[in-house]
Amino acid sequence: MQQTRLDTGRIRAARRVIDPVFLDTPLYRCEALEAGLGCAVSIKLETANPVRSFKARGTELLASLLADSDARAVVCASAGNLGQALAWSGRGRGLDVTVVASRFATAAKLDRIRALGAGLQLVDGDHELARERAAAVARSEGIRLVEDSLDIETCEGAATIGLELVDTARSFDAVLIALGGGALATGVGHVLKSLAPEVEVICVQPLGAPAMTRSWRARRVVTTESTNTIADGVAGRCPIPAVLDDLLLVADDAVLVREESIITGMRMLLDHAGLVVEPSAALGIAAILEDRDRFAGRHVVTIVCGGNVDAGAYRRWIGSAPL
């Protein structure tokens, strides 16, 4: 395999830095889902932790490095989950954390960022505007800017999920990974292609936020003017070139799914797995729903990557999903 920016040795070492509360998350076959999907499905559950997403695997690495340096303050842009994770990891290490987010971000995520003690700045625009503001804050205040997916620690922290997958007695032949900025997909993908190359790495993105998938297909950065999806955690418009380069080396496919399929996937995860998930976490189920023939008779793992969702919006979505 050509070389990505990631290093398997560093990924193994990351497990000694990350708080164990975020490691060795449940991986189990969910037979109740299988009748409705037509294939064997295992869940890798990344919501059973203090920030209810996989993001703290990366922020634990980042915060530990910052705490060992002279840096005492850090700023990031976030749709919500990275901000919560950085706030949690920074709080335990005495870091001053500022999060820049869209004022249209999920209210429950913004409330949790505040509750964890981080400073919160809101912008009147989308995540890309938040990224610009965070970079401006870092320049003006002379503090460390954390950029999700570009900072290798965010990818290598996520990659520890891949280690946990390959260290099991594998019977699965594909892994479905939510695709946004790319940290999760490139991290897990790197480990699988290095240590279990026979496993198919399939990235899944909403039709309403297709920039990274279009970029993967074109093998060059493709930006979009806007996004239109309930899956706010993966709703970027401007892929990072270095991250795309990594993704091109580790992803076997990238697919786009409709909003209706995402909502149906959320409903199925509630009804058949007892899981309340945010839309990004249902992308893998949505991909199976939209291409049953591709997965028929196979055993796939879907990474349930986050569970931070507004209760009101969740009830509306689930109420509109078919039984």
Side-chain angles (χ1 to χ4, degrees), residues 19-300:
D19 189 310
V21 76
F22 299 109
L23 296 174
D24 300 312
T25 52
L27 172 65
Y28 57 95
R29 186 165 168 182
C30 187
E31 293 185 32
L33 281 169
E34 295 175 2
L37 295 175
C39 63
V41 179
S42 287
I43 286 171
K44 181 62 169 165
L45 186 63
E46 292 296 310
T47 63
N49 63 57
V51 299
R52 294 191 293 190
S53 83
F54 76 95
K55 293 285 189 182
R57 291 178 183 253
T59 61
E60 284 287 280
L61 278 186
L62 276 164
S64 66
L65 288 173
L66 290 169
D68 290 338
S69 72
D70 293 332
R72 305 288 355 133
V74 61
V75 60
C76 75
S78 175
N81 285 349
L82 178 74
Q84 289 180 73
L86 189 59
W88 194 94
S89 297
R91 184 181 66 176
R93 294 172 175 85
L95 299 177
D96 180 10
V97 176
T98 299
V99 179
V100 183
S102 168
R103 67 175 65 255
F104 308 111
T106 300
K109 295 180 179 181
L110 299 181
D111 289 344
R112 187 64 182 149
I113 290 168
R114 294 187 185 97
L116 287 166
L120 183 62
Q121 295 188 20
L122 300 179
V123 297
D124 288 313
D126 65 5
H127 180 64
E128 300 303 338
L129 183 61
R131 284 175 62 187
E132 294 174 12
R133 175 69 62 81
V137 169
R139 287 192 301 269
S140 65
E141 299 186 13
I143 62 177
R144 169 66 188 270
L145 173 66
V146 170
E147 293 194 76
D148 198 13
S149 304
L150 180 59
D151 280 308
I152 198 65
E153 295 84 4
T154 62
C155 304
E156 292 184 340
T160 58
I161 297 170
L163 288 181
E164 292 167 20
L165 291 175
V166 301
D167 286 345
T168 63
R170 289 190 303 282
S171 60
F172 56 88
D173 57 38
V175 177
L176 295 162
I177 310 173
L179 179 61
L184 182 62
T186 59
V188 175
H190 169 90
V191 172
L192 289 172
K193 288 306 160 194
S194 299
L195 303 178
E198 73 282 2
V199 175
E200 189 177 18
V201 175
I202 304 170
C203 304
V204 191
Q205 199 164 40
L207 269 168
M212 187 61 101
T213 296
R214 289 183 182 175
S215 299
W216 182 86
R217 291 175 179 175
R219 303 190 70 83
R220 62 176 177 83
V221 170
V222 177
T223 62
T224 59
E225 290 298 316
S226 61
T227 61
N228 183 21
T229 179
I230 62 171
D232 59 306
V234 294
R237 295 188 291 107
C238 303
I240 298 169
V243 183
L244 175 61
D245 289 344
D246 289 339
L247 190 69
L248 288 168
L249 295 174
V250 302
D252 295 302
D253 201 3
V255 301
L256 297 170
V257 295
R258 300 186 303 270
E259 297 294 288
E260 310 91 85
S261 301
I262 298 171
I263 293 171
T264 300
M266 294 171 69
R267 178 66 184 265
M268 292 183 73
L269 285 166
L270 176 65
D271 287 350
H272 303 302
L275 298 174
V276 174
V277 306
E278 61 188 84
S280 301
L283 287 168
I285 302 298
I288 301 171
L289 287 168
E290 293 200 5
D291 199 352
R292 292 171 188 269
D293 289 345
R294 175 178 185 170
F295 298 102
R298 301 178 66 184
H299 183 179
V300 302

